[in-house]
């Protein structure tokens, strides 16, 4: 299963000189973690929101394997709830009135024709499994305000994985954590992403963070993908050739960092 993305977004402001344009194109293969790297305001989160269906691009497409999620030429825009794309927000967005187990179960939908009793049994088992995977089963009865930042992140990730997404979007997942908590959760997060074996996009402004987690990275500056420190048009033939080259190389060692869109002298 792969995620194919090609987007053009133009954000209008009161002052035309401050308008923002985003142009990106890339593919994320099954089991691959792609890092979107760049400074604040470069278009990383807008890219994720277009993939999730929260923002409609002016032009472009988003394909998840053979499913069309967005295609502006065909007039297709699948609603976010039907995309089967898991989105981890920087704030984690846990329900404050729900205990941890209930928060995780909230991501598990009833199947068509499934009785409530059967869903309850299945969701209890699934939620418990993901809590155990992320080593937070002892927190099942707590509320979000009783958790540390690292524990909240694990709960949010467990809820995301329990929803059985076909692609995963992680938007600055460590922004609310200090250095010790980042180190504490690293092993669990890597294990969870490996277990789900889905295309993953991780947004960050930290090159070291991207190096530790990602197979490849796309570097953005002011809405443009960068190659050797220079912007290039992802809609051009040259960019497609570069992307295909990076995809072929990236199928090698899972831990090899493939740099896409920036030279290695950081």
């Amino acid at each position: 299963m792969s995620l194919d993305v090609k987007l053009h977004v133009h954000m209008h402001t009161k002052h035309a000189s401050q308008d923002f344009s985003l142009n990106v194109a890339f593919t994320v293969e099954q089991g691959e973690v792609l890092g979107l790297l760049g400074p604040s305001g470069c278009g990383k989160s807008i890219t994720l929101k277009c993939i999730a269906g929260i923002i409609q691009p002016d032009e472009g497409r988003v394909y998840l394997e053979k499913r069309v999620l967005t295609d502006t030429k065909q007039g297709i825009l699948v609603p976010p709830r039907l995309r089967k794309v898991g989105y981890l927000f920087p704030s984690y967005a846990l329900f404050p009135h729900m205990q941890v187990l209930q928060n995780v179960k909230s991501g598990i939908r009833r199947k068509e024709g499934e009785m409530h009793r059967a869903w309850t049994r299945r969701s209890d088992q699934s939620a418990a499994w993901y809590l155990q995977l992320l080593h937070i089963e002892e927190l099942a009865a707590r509320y979000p305000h009783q958790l540390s930042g690292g524990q909240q992140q694990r709960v949010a990730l467990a809820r995301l994985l329990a929803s059985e997404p076909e692609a995963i979007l992680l938007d600055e997942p460590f922004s609310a954590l200090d250095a010790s908590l980042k180190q504490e959760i690293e092993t669990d997060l890597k294990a969870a992403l490996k277990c789900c074996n889905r295309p993953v996009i991780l947004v960050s402004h930290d090159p070291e963070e991207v190096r530790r987690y990602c197979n490849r990275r796309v570097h953005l500056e002011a809405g443009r993908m960068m190659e050797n420190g220079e912007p290039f048009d992802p809609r051009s033939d040259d960019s497609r050739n570069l992307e295909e080259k990076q995809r072929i190389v990236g199928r090698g060692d899972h831990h090899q960092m493939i740099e896409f869109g920036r030279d290695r002298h950081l």
Side-chain angles (χ1 to χ4, degrees), residues 6-106:
K6 186 176 183 179
L7 301 169
H8 169 70
V9 180
H10 187 79
M11 309 290 286
H12 296 279
T13 64
K14 292 182 179 179
H15 305 286
S17 61
Q18 298 177 3
D19 285 3
F20 177 82
S21 290
L22 171 71
N23 289 287
V24 295
F26 53 81
T27 298
V28 190
E29 301 292 350
Q30 180 172 338
E32 180 182 25
V33 183
L34 175 71
L36 280 187
L37 179 66
S40 298
C42 70
K44 303 186 302 294
S45 293
I46 292 176
T47 300
L48 294 195
K49 289 175 182 177
C50 286
I51 296 170
I54 299 170
I55 292 177
Q56 180 176 357
D58 297 281
E59 178 184 332
R61 66 171 189 263
V62 178
Y63 283 30
L64 184 51
E65 197 60 18
K66 296 180 180 179
R67 289 199 302 125
V68 182
L69 304 184
T70 298
D71 193 317
T72 55
K73 289 184 178 179
Q74 300 183 55
I76 297 174
L77 184 68
V78 176
R81 68 182 184 279
L82 301 179
R83 292 193 169 216
K84 296 185 179 179
V85 173
Y87 195 151
L88 183 63
F89 293 91
S91 62
Y92 309 140
L94 298 178
F95 296 112
H97 63 289
M98 290 184 180
Q99 294 175 322
V100 164
L101 182 64
Q102 295 170 319
N103 261 286
V104 176
K105 288 179 61 175
S106 71

Side-chain angles (χ1 to χ4, degrees), residues 23 35 38 46 54 62 109 138 153-154 190 211-212 221 249:
N23 289 287
I46 292 176
I54 299 170
V62 178
R109 295 190 177 188
E138 74 280 2
Q153 188 197 52
R154 284 185 170 93
K190 285 182 176 179
R211 186 194 66 79
R212 291 199 307 271
E221 288 188 15
V249 176

Side-chain angles (χ1 to χ4, degrees), residues 34-36 44-45 48 170-173 201-205 209:
L34 175 71
L36 280 187
K44 303 186 302 294
S45 293
L48 294 195
L170 306 177
D171 194 353
E172 298 277 8
I201 301 177
L202 186 151
V203 158
S204 178
H205 61 272
E209 201 170 85

